[in-house]
Amino acid sequence: MLGRTLREVSAALKQGQVTPTELCKKCLSIIKKTKYLNAYITVSEEVALKQAEESEKRHKQGQPLGDLDGIPVAVKDNFSTSGIETTCASNMLKGYIPPYNATVVQKLLDQGALLMGKTNLDEFAMGSGSTDGVFGPVKNPWSYSKQYRERQRHDEHGDSHWLITGGSSGGSAAAVAAYTCFAALGSDTGGSTRNPAAHCGLVGFKPSYGLVSRHGLIPLVNSMDVPGIFTRCVDDTAVVLGVLAGHDPKDSTTVQDPIKLPMILGEMDVSRLCIGIPKEYLVPELSSEIRSLWSQAADLFESEGAKVIEVSLPHTCYSIVCYHVLCTSEVASNMARFDGLQYGHRSGIDVSTEAMYAATRQEGFSDVVRGRILSGNFFLLKENYENYFVKAQKVRRLIVRDFMNAFDSGVDVLLTPTTLSEAVPYLEFIKEDNRTRSAQDDIFTQAVNMAGLPAVSVPVALSNQGLPIGLQFIGRAFCDQQLLTVAKWFEKQVQFPTIQLQDLMDDGSLVLENGKLTSVSLT
Amino acid sequence: MWARALRVRFPVPLDRGRGFASKAGPQGKVQEVRQGTHSPRLASQGAGRVPAAKIEHLERLALVNFGSREAVARLEKAIAFADQLHALDTDGVEPLESLLEDRCVYLRSDNVAEGNCTEELLRNSHHVVEEYFVPLPGNVSLPDMVNKTPSPTAE
């Protein structure tokens, strides 16, 4: 069951081949088995089992709510969940229990999805490795895959060379990649969904800005944040997006144009497609393996009749700098709400309000968060506002124009790498600080957030080390369905292999034949 | 099959001499950005030191303490990184404030639709008296923060 698509499992549930409770219990047991991944901060076992019970009743009465009824999902811990601790992996919000559900969470629950738990992340979604949260780093399930381990020379049983998931939504990525759930919510501000998706061999989707509600998503950068979706195949993403997309009266940045629902991806006529390859994305730091796969992907489209052209996004090299200024500035503003008074951590200092605020923020925020707040405040100082913040806003318009020009020249979809390399070992990743790493790792992904475009990372192939590599497709604003249709066609061509997780294979949970998942035992 | 490699689309090895197609002029910091690397330009080229008074000012505004010399150095590097923007000519370009600037953004009608959740909202606060959040005296000036002990998480 675990290896099937969402629609297949949904059909199986409707036909009674499996019950929501069985599915729920299986996922809970896998969560326990894969605890060492540290993907979950909170496992909402009781909640999930209760939801499973209710889903079962509905199925017995022949009244399931939809394709997500009875399906285990996970949610990144920066989405508010009523009655369930929401921490953003920060001391500032440890013990904080929101009194409401984020709109996207509510939509999933209204469709009967089973909430397995809240997943781990970089503190306040700041980072590109999922290594900087107070609950510790998330480990990439591929570190323990047969495909990776059989190509390593060091001791197989040693654990010191485990790999990062990428970030900041690494917990959600690990949760889906390790079969603990069928779909997970992440957030994407500069690539936080696409980056870990590429490193964990998953489909990581960033919707158009304004398509999906941000109400309840603890904000990082209001003008760039969007909820992101992790799944094991593109069709599943379409199912989830169909549930989440749409105007929300509680979020005035969601647009009101009606979109076609449910989202069913049709067949693609590749010969009518025009693919753009941005030449500025060909940077020296790009690994040769990814460069080669990128080239092969372009060739594949061309060989099937698509028009593949080189395009130019001239301001690309300024994009990461612009993002850095806008991001830290908005963060400085958004983090100002954490003062210990109404919610969250409160320091014991009792001298004065200001002293209490300062101490609270000192104790509650990590170095990374404090660093970004201070940088942001610097750029927002009166003397710097024009030169840095407004300047960055102007550069942002130039970057948006670059994309518009590329699409106006007839391009339907852009094809780029998602990351510079495959997932790296944790010990190597931490050699540089958070800001440096983010500036390096977000290189292909953040420009998309600045332009508010939809983008998706699709797993393509395994590297020589046996690790996943993904490529990114970028579409026009609000052409999410077309983008996913292209991605679905591509996914079918590349046939990315299933992860061979030794633990789950040893106990018969996952059964593979020739690298393909044939069946999963539910006992 | 998918895996066949046709003609090599991208030249190998990369021609490092070719700059990126940036519209900015070739002088100053742009040179660094164009010379075939995306790694952030760190403070090696004499990043300006931020004066102590400015540091104090920032700490007071943000109510966040730097905590260590390293944190100040990181700010200086962040500023040096951001300075690369100045090489780009943005004359006549309007700042982009919202991606939805061409649309009419939805506004709710001014009617009370929900509320009466006082208890739930007060529940998350550490110090509440009746239905009030309880701060501390606000007329006490903040002591000098620069000399505070570093945070437990500072390296």
Side-chain angles (χ1 to χ4, degrees), chain A residues 472-516:
Chain A
Q472 173 178 236
F473 292 94
I474 305 170
R476 292 176 204 243
F478 301 104
C479 293
D480 301 54
Q481 182 155 3
Q482 184 198 42
L483 178 69
L484 286 176
T485 310
V486 175
K488 181 176 170 180
W489 179 86
F490 183 69
E491 170 189 67
K492 196 160 165 213
Q493 308 306 307
V494 303
Q495 297 283 304
F496 182 78
T498 309
I499 184 175
Q500 291 171 24
L501 268 179
Q502 206 58 52
D503 285 351
L504 302 184
M505 284 159 65
D506 283 346
D507 73 359
S509 292
L510 297 183
V511 178
L512 290 106
E513 245 172 50
N514 302 323
K516 289 263 169 322

mmCIF file of all heavy atoms in Angstrom, chain A residues 472-516:
data_model
loop_
_atom_site.group_PDB
_atom_site.id
_atom_site.type_symbol
_atom_site.label_atom_id
_atom_site.label_comp_id
_atom_site.label_asym_id
_atom_site.label_seq_id
_atom_site.Cartn_x
_atom_site.Cartn_y
_atom_site.Cartn_z
ATOM 1 N N GLN A 472 14.688 21.255 -11.638
ATOM 2 C CA GLN A 472 13.596 22.165 -11.344
ATOM 3 C C GLN A 472 12.927 22.667 -12.613
ATOM 4 O O GLN A 472 13.594 23.033 -13.590
ATOM 5 C CB GLN A 472 14.155 23.360 -10.552
ATOM 6 C CG GLN A 472 13.142 24.468 -10.320
ATOM 7 C CD GLN A 472 13.691 25.612 -9.511
ATOM 8 O OE1 GLN A 472 13.141 25.971 -8.487
ATOM 9 N NE2 GLN A 472 14.780 26.206 -9.970
ATOM 10 N N PHE A 473 11.597 22.680 -12.581
ATOM 11 C CA PHE A 473 10.822 23.302 -13.651
ATOM 12 C C PHE A 473 10.162 24.544 -13.071
ATOM 13 O O PHE A 473 9.619 24.513 -11.966
ATOM 14 C CB PHE A 473 9.724 22.345 -14.154
ATOM 15 C CG PHE A 473 10.265 21.141 -14.868
ATOM 16 C CD1 PHE A 473 10.494 19.959 -14.187
ATOM 17 C CD2 PHE A 473 10.549 21.195 -16.226
ATOM 18 C CE1 PHE A 473 10.993 18.841 -14.834
ATOM 19 C CE2 PHE A 473 11.053 20.082 -16.889
ATOM 20 C CZ PHE A 473 11.283 18.907 -16.184
ATOM 21 N N ILE A 474 10.199 25.624 -13.818
ATOM 22 C CA ILE A 474 9.589 26.876 -13.372
ATOM 23 C C ILE A 474 8.530 27.282 -14.388
ATOM 24 O O ILE A 474 8.795 27.288 -15.592
ATOM 25 C CB ILE A 474 10.641 28.006 -13.282
ATOM 26 C CG1 ILE A 474 11.809 27.581 -12.384
ATOM 27 C CG2 ILE A 474 10.008 29.293 -12.766
ATOM 28 C CD1 ILE A 474 12.988 28.536 -12.433
ATOM 29 N N GLY A 475 7.345 27.629 -13.892
ATOM 30 C CA GLY A 475 6.268 27.988 -14.817
ATOM 31 C C GLY A 475 5.843 29.437 -14.681
ATOM 32 O O GLY A 475 6.344 30.178 -13.844
ATOM 33 N N ARG A 476 4.904 29.814 -15.507
ATOM 34 C CA ARG A 476 4.346 31.163 -15.415
ATOM 35 C C ARG A 476 3.440 31.249 -14.207
ATOM 36 O O ARG A 476 2.871 30.243 -13.765
ATOM 37 C CB ARG A 476 3.472 31.461 -16.630
ATOM 38 C CG ARG A 476 4.186 31.589 -17.919
ATOM 39 C CD ARG A 476 3.129 31.794 -19.012
ATOM 40 N NE ARG A 476 3.641 31.390 -20.281
ATOM 41 C CZ ARG A 476 3.804 32.226 -21.304
ATOM 42 N NH1 ARG A 476 3.472 33.502 -21.183
ATOM 43 N NH2 ARG A 476 4.280 31.774 -22.449
ATOM 44 N N ALA A 477 3.255 32.468 -13.734
ATOM 45 C CA ALA A 477 2.399 32.661 -12.558
ATOM 46 C C ALA A 477 1.009 32.103 -12.823
ATOM 47 O O ALA A 477 0.407 32.348 -13.860
ATOM 48 C CB ALA A 477 2.314 34.143 -12.226
ATOM 49 N N PHE A 478 0.515 31.344 -11.871
ATOM 50 C CA PHE A 478 -0.820 30.738 -11.905
ATOM 51 C C PHE A 478 -1.012 29.706 -13.008
ATOM 52 O O PHE A 478 -2.141 29.285 -13.270
ATOM 53 C CB PHE A 478 -1.921 31.820 -11.937
ATOM 54 C CG PHE A 478 -1.849 32.713 -10.739
ATOM 55 C CD1 PHE A 478 -1.336 33.990 -10.830
ATOM 56 C CD2 PHE A 478 -2.232 32.242 -9.483
ATOM 57 C CE1 PHE A 478 -1.212 34.793 -9.703
ATOM 58 C CE2 PHE A 478 -2.115 33.045 -8.353
ATOM 59 C CZ PHE A 478 -1.602 34.323 -8.470
ATOM 60 N N CYS A 479 0.089 29.284 -13.626
ATOM 61 C CA CYS A 479 -0.006 28.174 -14.585
ATOM 62 C C CYS A 479 0.503 26.908 -13.914
ATOM 63 O O CYS A 479 1.257 26.123 -14.504
ATOM 64 C CB CYS A 479 0.786 28.486 -15.846
ATOM 65 S SG CYS A 479 0.063 29.835 -16.783
ATOM 66 N N ASP A 480 0.088 26.722 -12.638
ATOM 67 C CA ASP A 480 0.579 25.587 -11.867
ATOM 68 C C ASP A 480 0.178 24.260 -12.499
ATOM 69 O O ASP A 480 0.954 23.304 -12.500
ATOM 70 C CB ASP A 480 0.033 25.651 -10.436
ATOM 71 C CG ASP A 480 0.445 26.930 -9.727
ATOM 72 O OD1 ASP A 480 0.200 28.018 -10.259
ATOM 73 O OD2 ASP A 480 1.021 26.830 -8.629
ATOM 74 N N GLN A 481 -1.032 24.229 -13.040
ATOM 75 C CA GLN A 481 -1.488 22.958 -13.603
ATOM 76 C C GLN A 481 -0.643 22.564 -14.809
ATOM 77 O O GLN A 481 -0.241 21.407 -14.951
ATOM 78 C CB GLN A 481 -2.958 23.084 -14.016
ATOM 79 C CG GLN A 481 -3.514 21.785 -14.554
ATOM 80 C CD GLN A 481 -5.011 21.697 -14.386
ATOM 81 O OE1 GLN A 481 -5.653 22.621 -13.913
ATOM 82 N NE2 GLN A 481 -5.571 20.576 -14.753
ATOM 83 N N GLN A 482 -0.348 23.544 -15.659
ATOM 84 C CA GLN A 482 0.464 23.239 -16.839
ATOM 85 C C GLN A 482 1.856 22.771 -16.399
ATOM 86 O O GLN A 482 2.408 21.804 -16.938
ATOM 87 C CB GLN A 482 0.592 24.481 -17.725
ATOM 88 C CG GLN A 482 1.343 24.189 -19.010
ATOM 89 C CD GLN A 482 1.858 25.439 -19.689
ATOM 90 O OE1 GLN A 482 2.358 26.348 -19.043
ATOM 91 N NE2 GLN A 482 1.747 25.473 -21.000
ATOM 92 N N LEU A 483 2.389 23.458 -15.389
ATOM 93 C CA LEU A 483 3.711 23.107 -14.894
ATOM 94 C C LEU A 483 3.733 21.658 -14.413
ATOM 95 O O LEU A 483 4.642 20.891 -14.731
ATOM 96 C CB LEU A 483 4.083 24.044 -13.737
ATOM 97 C CG LEU A 483 5.421 23.773 -13.076
ATOM 98 C CD1 LEU A 483 6.550 24.107 -14.020
ATOM 99 C CD2 LEU A 483 5.569 24.591 -11.795
ATOM 100 N N LEU A 484 2.712 21.285 -13.646
ATOM 101 C CA LEU A 484 2.676 19.922 -13.110
ATOM 102 C C LEU A 484 2.467 18.900 -14.229
ATOM 103 O O LEU A 484 2.952 17.774 -14.145
ATOM 104 C CB LEU A 484 1.566 19.805 -12.060
ATOM 105 C CG LEU A 484 1.874 20.478 -10.716
ATOM 106 C CD1 LEU A 484 0.676 20.394 -9.784
ATOM 107 C CD2 LEU A 484 3.090 19.830 -10.054
ATOM 108 N N THR A 485 1.775 19.313 -15.266
ATOM 109 C CA THR A 485 1.580 18.391 -16.393
ATOM 110 C C THR A 485 2.915 18.086 -17.061
ATOM 111 O O THR A 485 3.215 16.929 -17.404
ATOM 112 C CB THR A 485 0.597 18.994 -17.410
ATOM 113 O OG1 THR A 485 -0.564 19.439 -16.719
ATOM 114 C CG2 THR A 485 0.180 17.969 -18.454
ATOM 115 N N VAL A 486 3.734 19.108 -17.235
ATOM 116 C CA VAL A 486 5.066 18.896 -17.814
ATOM 117 C C VAL A 486 5.893 18.007 -16.890
ATOM 118 O O VAL A 486 6.549 17.055 -17.331
ATOM 119 C CB VAL A 486 5.791 20.253 -18.020
ATOM 120 C CG1 VAL A 486 7.214 20.039 -18.499
ATOM 121 C CG2 VAL A 486 5.035 21.111 -19.015
ATOM 122 N N ALA A 487 5.818 18.323 -15.585
ATOM 123 C CA ALA A 487 6.589 17.546 -14.607
ATOM 124 C C ALA A 487 6.170 16.083 -14.621
ATOM 125 O O ALA A 487 6.999 15.182 -14.506
ATOM 126 C CB ALA A 487 6.410 18.140 -13.210
ATOM 127 N N LYS A 488 4.873 15.856 -14.767
ATOM 128 C CA LYS A 488 4.369 14.478 -14.761
ATOM 129 C C LYS A 488 4.894 13.710 -15.965
ATOM 130 O O LYS A 488 5.326 12.554 -15.861
ATOM 131 C CB LYS A 488 2.837 14.488 -14.780
ATOM 132 C CG LYS A 488 2.243 13.097 -14.743
ATOM 133 C CD LYS A 488 0.734 13.145 -14.654
ATOM 134 C CE LYS A 488 0.188 11.716 -14.869
ATOM 135 N NZ LYS A 488 -1.265 11.705 -14.783
ATOM 136 N N TRP A 489 4.914 14.361 -17.098
ATOM 137 C CA TRP A 489 5.440 13.694 -18.291
ATOM 138 C C TRP A 489 6.910 13.337 -18.087
ATOM 139 O O TRP A 489 7.356 12.225 -18.371
ATOM 140 C CB TRP A 489 5.286 14.615 -19.507
ATOM 141 C CG TRP A 489 5.833 14.013 -20.759
ATOM 142 C CD1 TRP A 489 5.175 13.181 -21.624
ATOM 143 C CD2 TRP A 489 7.158 14.166 -21.288
ATOM 144 N NE1 TRP A 489 6.002 12.810 -22.654
ATOM 145 C CE2 TRP A 489 7.225 13.403 -22.473
ATOM 146 C CE3 TRP A 489 8.293 14.871 -20.881
ATOM 147 C CZ2 TRP A 489 8.376 13.330 -23.252
ATOM 148 C CZ3 TRP A 489 9.438 14.799 -21.650
ATOM 149 C CH2 TRP A 489 9.475 14.029 -22.827
ATOM 150 N N PHE A 490 7.661 14.282 -17.564
ATOM 151 C CA PHE A 490 9.088 14.086 -17.362
ATOM 152 C C PHE A 490 9.343 12.962 -16.354
ATOM 153 O O PHE A 490 10.222 12.118 -16.548
ATOM 154 C CB PHE A 490 9.704 15.399 -16.874
ATOM 155 C CG PHE A 490 11.193 15.345 -16.703
ATOM 156 C CD1 PHE A 490 12.047 15.252 -17.795
ATOM 157 C CD2 PHE A 490 11.757 15.377 -15.433
ATOM 158 C CE1 PHE A 490 13.424 15.201 -17.640
ATOM 159 C CE2 PHE A 490 13.133 15.330 -15.270
ATOM 160 C CZ PHE A 490 13.964 15.236 -16.374
ATOM 161 N N GLU A 491 8.557 12.952 -15.297
ATOM 162 C CA GLU A 491 8.715 11.935 -14.255
ATOM 163 C C GLU A 491 8.555 10.542 -14.852
ATOM 164 O O GLU A 491 9.276 9.601 -14.506
ATOM 165 C CB GLU A 491 7.653 12.189 -13.189
ATOM 166 C CG GLU A 491 7.496 11.117 -12.150
ATOM 167 C CD GLU A 491 6.262 11.380 -11.296
ATOM 168 O OE1 GLU A 491 5.131 11.302 -11.826
ATOM 169 O OE2 GLU A 491 6.446 11.665 -10.105
ATOM 170 N N LYS A 492 7.611 10.430 -15.780
ATOM 171 C CA LYS A 492 7.353 9.127 -16.396
ATOM 172 C C LYS A 492 8.549 8.691 -17.241
ATOM 173 O O LYS A 492 8.870 7.506 -17.314
ATOM 174 C CB LYS A 492 6.108 9.249 -17.280
ATOM 175 C CG LYS A 492 5.510 7.936 -17.664
ATOM 176 C CD LYS A 492 4.059 8.103 -18.093
ATOM 177 C CE LYS A 492 3.631 6.819 -18.808
ATOM 178 N NZ LYS A 492 2.671 7.061 -19.864
ATOM 179 N N GLN A 493 9.213 9.658 -17.861
ATOM 180 C CA GLN A 493 10.354 9.301 -18.712
ATOM 181 C C GLN A 493 11.530 8.832 -17.884
ATOM 182 O O GLN A 493 12.265 7.933 -18.276
ATOM 183 C CB GLN A 493 10.807 10.517 -19.544
ATOM 184 C CG GLN A 493 9.718 11.204 -20.335
ATOM 185 C CD GLN A 493 8.980 10.255 -21.229
ATOM 186 O OE1 GLN A 493 9.585 9.540 -22.015
ATOM 187 N NE2 GLN A 493 7.669 10.231 -21.103
ATOM 188 N N VAL A 494 11.775 9.477 -16.732
ATOM 189 C CA VAL A 494 13.029 9.196 -16.031
ATOM 190 C C VAL A 494 12.958 8.000 -15.092
ATOM 191 O O VAL A 494 13.989 7.406 -14.776
ATOM 192 C CB VAL A 494 13.546 10.430 -15.249
ATOM 193 C CG1 VAL A 494 13.718 11.604 -16.168
ATOM 194 C CG2 VAL A 494 12.635 10.801 -14.101
ATOM 195 N N GLN A 495 11.764 7.643 -14.634
ATOM 196 C CA GLN A 495 11.607 6.443 -13.805
ATOM 197 C C GLN A 495 12.600 6.408 -12.639
ATOM 198 O O GLN A 495 13.430 5.507 -12.530
ATOM 199 C CB GLN A 495 11.808 5.182 -14.662
ATOM 200 C CG GLN A 495 10.775 5.031 -15.760
ATOM 201 C CD GLN A 495 9.440 4.540 -15.221
ATOM 202 O OE1 GLN A 495 9.357 3.511 -14.578
ATOM 203 N NE2 GLN A 495 8.378 5.297 -15.472
ATOM 204 N N PHE A 496 12.532 7.400 -11.801
ATOM 205 C CA PHE A 496 13.430 7.487 -10.652
ATOM 206 C C PHE A 496 13.237 6.276 -9.727
ATOM 207 O O PHE A 496 12.117 5.888 -9.438
ATOM 208 C CB PHE A 496 13.129 8.788 -9.896
ATOM 209 C CG PHE A 496 14.017 9.022 -8.719
ATOM 210 C CD1 PHE A 496 15.313 9.487 -8.896
ATOM 211 C CD2 PHE A 496 13.564 8.784 -7.430
ATOM 212 C CE1 PHE A 496 16.141 9.715 -7.813
ATOM 213 C CE2 PHE A 496 14.386 8.996 -6.343
ATOM 214 C CZ PHE A 496 15.675 9.466 -6.530
ATOM 215 N N PRO A 497 14.332 5.661 -9.278
ATOM 216 C CA PRO A 497 14.208 4.428 -8.482
ATOM 217 C C PRO A 497 13.690 4.655 -7.062
ATOM 218 O O PRO A 497 13.823 5.733 -6.499
ATOM 219 C CB PRO A 497 15.654 3.903 -8.426
ATOM 220 C CG PRO A 497 16.497 5.104 -8.597
ATOM 221 C CD PRO A 497 15.745 6.038 -9.499
ATOM 222 N N THR A 498 13.132 3.590 -6.505
ATOM 223 C CA THR A 498 12.632 3.640 -5.134
ATOM 224 C C THR A 498 13.797 3.533 -4.160
ATOM 225 O O THR A 498 14.757 2.818 -4.417
ATOM 226 C CB THR A 498 11.697 2.444 -4.886
ATOM 227 O OG1 THR A 498 10.743 2.405 -5.938
ATOM 228 C CG2 THR A 498 10.989 2.562 -3.557
ATOM 229 N N ILE A 499 13.672 4.210 -3.030
ATOM 230 C CA ILE A 499 14.720 4.112 -2.014
ATOM 231 C C ILE A 499 14.684 2.719 -1.394
ATOM 232 O O ILE A 499 13.627 2.180 -1.081
ATOM 233 C CB ILE A 499 14.520 5.203 -0.932
ATOM 234 C CG1 ILE A 499 15.653 5.174 0.076
ATOM 235 C CG2 ILE A 499 13.182 5.047 -0.236
ATOM 236 C CD1 ILE A 499 15.577 6.306 1.101
ATOM 237 N N GLN A 500 15.852 2.109 -1.234
ATOM 238 C CA GLN A 500 15.916 0.783 -0.622
ATOM 239 C C GLN A 500 16.402 0.945 0.815
ATOM 240 O O GLN A 500 17.596 0.884 1.102
ATOM 241 C CB GLN A 500 16.871 -0.120 -1.419
ATOM 242 C CG GLN A 500 16.312 -0.462 -2.794
ATOM 243 C CD GLN A 500 17.322 -1.154 -3.676
ATOM 244 O OE1 GLN A 500 18.265 -1.764 -3.182
ATOM 245 N NE2 GLN A 500 17.124 -1.055 -4.985
ATOM 246 N N LEU A 501 15.442 1.190 1.699
ATOM 247 C CA LEU A 501 15.783 1.410 3.092
ATOM 248 C C LEU A 501 15.944 0.076 3.793
ATOM 249 O O LEU A 501 14.978 -0.674 3.966
ATOM 250 C CB LEU A 501 14.680 2.208 3.788
ATOM 251 C CG LEU A 501 14.855 3.714 3.795
ATOM 252 C CD1 LEU A 501 13.679 4.366 4.488
ATOM 253 C CD2 LEU A 501 16.140 4.111 4.486
ATOM 254 N N GLN A 502 17.165 -0.191 4.210
ATOM 255 C CA GLN A 502 17.475 -1.504 4.762
ATOM 256 C C GLN A 502 16.543 -1.912 5.893
ATOM 257 O O GLN A 502 16.011 -3.012 5.906
ATOM 258 C CB GLN A 502 18.931 -1.499 5.278
ATOM 259 C CG GLN A 502 19.559 -2.872 5.293
ATOM 260 C CD GLN A 502 19.564 -3.525 3.926
ATOM 261 O OE1 GLN A 502 20.013 -2.951 2.945
ATOM 262 N NE2 GLN A 502 19.027 -4.726 3.847
ATOM 263 N N ASP A 503 16.324 -1.002 6.854
ATOM 264 C CA ASP A 503 15.461 -1.304 8.005
ATOM 265 C C ASP A 503 14.102 -1.811 7.581
ATOM 266 O O ASP A 503 13.587 -2.786 8.101
ATOM 267 C CB ASP A 503 15.211 -0.032 8.828
ATOM 268 C CG ASP A 503 16.430 0.337 9.634
ATOM 269 O OD1 ASP A 503 17.362 -0.480 9.682
ATOM 270 O OD2 ASP A 503 16.441 1.436 10.199
ATOM 271 N N LEU A 504 13.512 -1.093 6.640
ATOM 272 C CA LEU A 504 12.151 -1.437 6.261
ATOM 273 C C LEU A 504 12.114 -2.666 5.360
ATOM 274 O O LEU A 504 11.101 -3.344 5.256
ATOM 275 C CB LEU A 504 11.469 -0.250 5.571
ATOM 276 C CG LEU A 504 11.404 1.024 6.415
ATOM 277 C CD1 LEU A 504 10.630 2.099 5.674
ATOM 278 C CD2 LEU A 504 10.742 0.763 7.754
ATOM 279 N N MET A 505 13.244 -2.953 4.707
ATOM 280 C CA MET A 505 13.264 -4.140 3.866
ATOM 281 C C MET A 505 13.497 -5.367 4.744
ATOM 282 O O MET A 505 12.962 -6.434 4.496
ATOM 283 C CB MET A 505 14.368 -4.019 2.811
ATOM 284 C CG MET A 505 13.966 -3.078 1.691
ATOM 285 S SD MET A 505 15.359 -2.438 0.764
ATOM 286 C CE MET A 505 16.006 -3.908 0.014
ATOM 287 N N ASP A 506 14.310 -5.183 5.789
ATOM 288 C CA ASP A 506 14.647 -6.314 6.654
ATOM 289 C C ASP A 506 13.428 -6.901 7.336
ATOM 290 O O ASP A 506 13.339 -8.102 7.523
ATOM 291 C CB ASP A 506 15.650 -5.870 7.738
ATOM 292 C CG ASP A 506 17.056 -5.747 7.167
ATOM 293 O OD1 ASP A 506 17.272 -6.251 6.047
ATOM 294 O OD2 ASP A 506 17.911 -5.156 7.832
ATOM 295 N N ASP A 507 12.513 -6.032 7.748
ATOM 296 C CA ASP A 507 11.364 -6.588 8.478
ATOM 297 C C ASP A 507 10.165 -6.832 7.572
ATOM 298 O O ASP A 507 9.060 -7.043 8.034
ATOM 299 C CB ASP A 507 10.992 -5.684 9.661
ATOM 300 C CG ASP A 507 10.331 -4.392 9.191
ATOM 301 O OD1 ASP A 507 10.180 -4.189 7.974
ATOM 302 O OD2 ASP A 507 9.965 -3.583 10.052
ATOM 303 N N GLY A 508 10.432 -6.747 6.258
ATOM 304 C CA GLY A 508 9.355 -7.074 5.319
ATOM 305 C C GLY A 508 8.366 -5.954 5.076
ATOM 306 O O GLY A 508 7.353 -6.160 4.409
ATOM 307 N N SER A 509 8.648 -4.780 5.619
ATOM 308 C CA SER A 509 7.708 -3.684 5.395
ATOM 309 C C SER A 509 7.673 -3.278 3.937
ATOM 310 O O SER A 509 6.626 -3.033 3.357
ATOM 311 C CB SER A 509 8.084 -2.471 6.233
ATOM 312 O OG SER A 509 7.905 -2.738 7.583
ATOM 313 N N LEU A 510 8.858 -3.192 3.351
ATOM 314 C CA LEU A 510 8.919 -2.837 1.931
ATOM 315 C C LEU A 510 9.473 -4.021 1.163
ATOM 316 O O LEU A 510 10.500 -4.571 1.531
ATOM 317 C CB LEU A 510 9.844 -1.638 1.702
ATOM 318 C CG LEU A 510 9.490 -0.307 2.336
ATOM 319 C CD1 LEU A 510 10.507 0.738 1.903
ATOM 320 C CD2 LEU A 510 8.119 0.144 1.908
ATOM 321 N N VAL A 511 8.801 -4.391 0.119
ATOM 322 C CA VAL A 511 9.304 -5.486 -0.698
ATOM 323 C C VAL A 511 9.608 -4.953 -2.075
ATOM 324 O O VAL A 511 8.750 -4.383 -2.735
ATOM 325 C CB VAL A 511 8.257 -6.619 -0.801
ATOM 326 C CG1 VAL A 511 8.777 -7.739 -1.694
ATOM 327 C CG2 VAL A 511 7.923 -7.159 0.582
ATOM 328 N N LEU A 512 10.855 -5.128 -2.488
ATOM 329 C CA LEU A 512 11.226 -4.601 -3.792
ATOM 330 C C LEU A 512 11.666 -5.707 -4.720
ATOM 331 O O LEU A 512 12.246 -6.698 -4.306
ATOM 332 C CB LEU A 512 12.378 -3.603 -3.649
ATOM 333 C CG LEU A 512 11.991 -2.294 -2.982
ATOM 334 C CD1 LEU A 512 12.540 -2.256 -1.575
ATOM 335 C CD2 LEU A 512 12.534 -1.138 -3.771
ATOM 336 N N GLU A 513 11.380 -5.501 -5.982
ATOM 337 C CA GLU A 513 11.868 -6.422 -7.002
ATOM 338 C C GLU A 513 12.462 -5.583 -8.107
ATOM 339 O O GLU A 513 11.782 -4.733 -8.659
ATOM 340 C CB GLU A 513 10.676 -7.205 -7.575
ATOM 341 C CG GLU A 513 10.726 -8.684 -7.286
ATOM 342 C CD GLU A 513 9.435 -9.337 -7.700
ATOM 343 O OE1 GLU A 513 8.998 -9.099 -8.852
ATOM 344 O OE2 GLU A 513 8.851 -10.032 -6.866
ATOM 345 N N ASN A 514 13.728 -5.821 -8.405
ATOM 346 C CA ASN A 514 14.382 -5.012 -9.436
ATOM 347 C C ASN A 514 14.250 -3.522 -9.152
ATOM 348 O O ASN A 514 13.996 -2.742 -10.046
ATOM 349 C CB ASN A 514 13.785 -5.301 -10.829
ATOM 350 C CG ASN A 514 13.912 -6.753 -11.194
ATOM 351 O OD1 ASN A 514 14.925 -7.390 -10.868
ATOM 352 N ND2 ASN A 514 12.897 -7.303 -11.821
ATOM 353 N N GLY A 515 14.384 -3.182 -7.867
ATOM 354 C CA GLY A 515 14.351 -1.765 -7.537
ATOM 355 C C GLY A 515 12.970 -1.148 -7.556
ATOM 356 O O GLY A 515 12.810 0.045 -7.366
ATOM 357 N N LYS A 516 11.943 -1.937 -7.784
ATOM 358 C CA LYS A 516 10.589 -1.375 -7.806
ATOM 359 C C LYS A 516 9.806 -1.930 -6.618
ATOM 360 O O LYS A 516 9.922 -3.095 -6.287
ATOM 361 C CB LYS A 516 9.867 -1.789 -9.106
ATOM 362 C CG LYS A 516 10.408 -1.098 -10.331
ATOM 363 C CD LYS A 516 9.558 0.111 -10.668
ATOM 364 C CE LYS A 516 10.115 1.030 -11.693
ATOM 365 N NZ LYS A 516 11.494 1.297 -11.736
#
